[in-house]
């Protein structure tokens, strides 16, 4: 029989192990503490650790969440949650899903050992993919199924609890374009947008791919538009205790660009070389910050924005109604 790392929590929520004989055990073990009350979950015999995969997506306050967790590692640890910093993951773990043989095998083995004996929280949006994949491969997150499957295999965790934030399509593609420009040479927005239109990108397909790679996992979602007013509820659900206990942090986020900054960058792009592109974009975004004085970059027409907003609403309704094992936190 397995023991859990927090037996006092297990006894509080479930009672002592000897109180679980026969059919009574089955009934009582159906209760879980995977929400805001605790992290130990039912495995059919006793309580097992919980592995959480927060997969992003990009441009949905993922960096903000990662920083908050990183600044609260001590608090998380006191609640029996081990959180891996993003710098650790990017250096030693994430290369695994890109097949470049740069992953740290020993580090990943240690992660698997930790997942077998304790509660683990992994937040890494690049498991889904990268902003540049739309240009390179013709779609966002085209390899998510194989990547999530590989992560599950290497961590030796049958059913991690998966969290993903979804964002309305027009806002998502514009933000991803801005993110692309931070790391790649300039291309016109219309070129980027044409590829997006042709891709038929859909959150429905992303969730189907994740479900296919993790058929036994619970998948929990939320709409990015609700994050600010529901932040505490979402994070509490993810970590298993009251997120109000976490350290507060700088509320600043990396904003998208202003329209004037993008116009200036597009005009200068033909005469820039190499890393000059990214440096110039940084200078322009600092000189013309998005705000009341400099309106945000909004390249889509009202008609197309409305089209994508309706598509997004329809897709959220479909996911909520039709996809088994998938639920919205808020």
């Amino acid at each position: 029989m397995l023991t859990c790392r927090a037996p006092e929590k297990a006894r509080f929520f479930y009672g002592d192990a000897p109180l679980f004989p026969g059919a009574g055990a089955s009934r009582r073990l159906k209760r879980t503490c995977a929400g805001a009350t605790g992290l130990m979950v039912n495995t059919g015999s006793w309580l097992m650790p919980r592995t959480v995969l927060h997969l992003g997506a990009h441009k949905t306050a993922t960096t903000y969440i990662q920083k908050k967790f990183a600044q609260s590692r001590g608090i998380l640890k006191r609640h029996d949650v081990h959180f891996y910093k993003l710098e650790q993951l990017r250096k030693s773990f994430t290369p695994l899903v890109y097949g470049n043989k740069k992953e740290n095998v020993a580090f990943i083995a240690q992660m698997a050992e930790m997942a077998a004996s304790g509660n683990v929280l992994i937040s890494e949006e690049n498991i889904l993919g990268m902003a540049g994949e739309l240009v390179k491969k013709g779609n966002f997150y085209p390899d998510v199924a194989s990547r999530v499957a590989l992560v599950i295999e290497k961590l030796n965790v049958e059913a991690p609890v998966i969290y993903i934030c979804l964002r309305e399509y027009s806002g998502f593609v514009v933000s991803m374009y801005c993110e692309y420009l931070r790391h790649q040479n300039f291309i016109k927005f219309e070129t980027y947008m044409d590829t997006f239109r042709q891709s038929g990108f859909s959150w429905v397909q992303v969730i189907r791919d994740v479900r296919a790679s993790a058929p036994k996992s619970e998948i929990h979602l939320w709409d990015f538009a609700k994050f600010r007013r529901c932040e505490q509820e979402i994070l509490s659900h993810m970590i298993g205790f009251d997120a109000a206990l976490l350290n507060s942090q700088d509320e600043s986020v990396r904003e998208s660009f202003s329209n004037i900054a993008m116009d200036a960058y597009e005009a200068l792009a033909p005469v820039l070389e190499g890393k000059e592109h990214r440096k110039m974009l940084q200078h322009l975004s600092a000189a013309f910050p998005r705000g009341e004085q400099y309106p945000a970059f909004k390249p889509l027409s009202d008609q197309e924005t409305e089209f994508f907003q309706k598509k997004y609403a329809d897709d959220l309704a479909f996911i909520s109604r039709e996809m088994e094992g998938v639920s919205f936190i808020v």
Side-chain angles (χ1 to χ4, degrees):
M1 181 174 290
L2 295 171
T3 59
C4 70
R5 295 182 66 214
E8 69 287 351
K9 285 186 179 180
R11 292 190 190 98
F12 180 79
F13 290 112
Y14 296 92
D16 292 312
L19 299 180
F20 294 155
S26 176
R27 286 193 296 270
R28 293 195 66 180
L29 282 170
K30 287 181 180 178
R31 295 182 296 170
T32 70
C33 297
T37 53
L39 283 166
M40 298 302 158
V41 297
N42 165 34
T43 64
S45 56
W46 183 224
L47 304 178
M48 286 287 285
R50 180 175 183 250
T51 296
V52 169
L53 293 180
H54 173 219
L55 301 180
H58 293 81
K59 314 310 297 179
T60 60
T62 305
T63 301
Y64 168 85
I65 293 171
Q66 290 162 346
K67 287 181 178 179
K68 189 156 193 168
F69 287 160
Q71 292 173 357
S72 304
R73 288 185 81 201
I75 297 170
L76 290 167
K77 186 175 182 180
R78 287 197 293 274
H79 287 80
D80 304 299
V81 183
H82 183 87
F83 175 72
Y84 288 94
K85 288 185 176 181
L86 187 62
E87 310 90 81
Q88 292 177 298
L89 297 176
R90 291 279 167 89
K91 179 181 178 181
S92 300
F93 177 74
T94 310
L96 169 74
V97 301
Y98 290 93
N100 55 21
K101 305 299 183 181
K102 294 182 179 180
E103 68 270 17
N104 185 324
V105 176
F107 179 82
I108 295 173
Q110 289 176 351
M111 291 179 69
E113 184 177 350
M114 177 64 73
S117 60
N119 301 308
V120 171
L121 172 56
I122 298 169
S123 177
E124 165 58 305
E125 64 271 38
N126 284 354
I127 293 174
L128 288 178
M130 294 186 183
E133 287 182 330
L134 179 67
V135 174
K136 294 178 181 178
K137 297 186 176 183
N139 208 342
F140 292 124
Y141 311 147
D143 303 315
V144 60
S146 60
R147 288 170 178 169
V148 172
L150 185 59
V151 168
I152 290 173
E153 176 190 346
K154 293 300 182 180
L155 293 180
N156 195 27
V157 177
E158 185 178 31
V161 186
I162 296 174
Y163 289 83
I164 307 173
C165 180
L166 311 182
R167 184 169 180 176
E168 184 270 315
Y169 295 117
S170 65
F172 179 68
V173 68
V174 172
S175 292
M176 288 290 268
Y177 172 70
C178 293
E179 188 68 14
Y180 176 84
L181 293 183
R182 294 182 195 275
H183 304 284
Q184 305 294 334
N185 289 340
F186 177 79
I187 64 171
K188 289 180 177 291
F189 175 76
E190 195 55 37
T191 302
Y192 192 86
M193 191 65 200
D194 278 345
T195 305
F196 179 74
R197 294 185 189 103
Q198 294 167 15
S199 73
F201 176 77
S202 165
W203 291 119
V204 172
Q205 188 58 52
V206 172
I207 302 306
R208 279 176 175 157
D209 287 344
V210 173
R211 164 56 71 222
S213 63
K216 297 184 179 181
S217 290
E218 298 174 11
I219 301 175
H220 299 289
L221 311 174
W222 66 95
D223 178 4
F224 175 64
K226 297 181 179 180
F227 178 71
R228 284 305 178 200
R229 68 177 183 271
C230 300
E231 175 184 342
Q232 186 168 319
E233 183 177 354
I234 292 165
L235 297 188
S236 296
H237 197 287
M238 194 182 302
I239 62 179
F241 61 91
D242 188 356
L245 299 174
L246 300 178
N247 292 326
S248 59
Q249 66 163 67
D250 181 3
E251 294 291 327
S252 63
V253 296
R254 188 161 65 186
E255 297 283 358
S256 297
F257 304 120
S258 66
N259 196 66
I260 190 173
M262 291 300 294
D263 285 345
Y265 182 49
E266 182 171 354
L268 292 169
V271 298
L272 299 175
E273 297 181 0
K275 294 182 179 179
E276 291 178 347
H277 281 271
R278 293 181 285 284
K279 290 181 180 179
M280 179 56 68
L281 188 56
Q282 291 172 0
H283 292 317
L284 290 171
S285 62
F288 305 105
R290 168 185 162 180
E292 186 176 346
Q293 184 177 2
Y294 304 113
F297 174 59
K298 291 186 176 180
L300 293 177
S301 68
D302 290 344
Q303 183 179 7
E304 188 160 31
T305 298
E306 289 174 7
F307 167 81
F308 282 120
Q309 289 173 342
K310 183 180 185 304
K311 173 178 167 56
Y312 180 65
D314 291 344
D315 285 353
L316 291 192
F318 178 86
I319 292 169
S320 179
R321 184 180 66 250
E322 302 292 341
M323 303 190 105
E324 185 176 351
V326 180
S327 62
F328 283 86
I329 299 173
V330 292

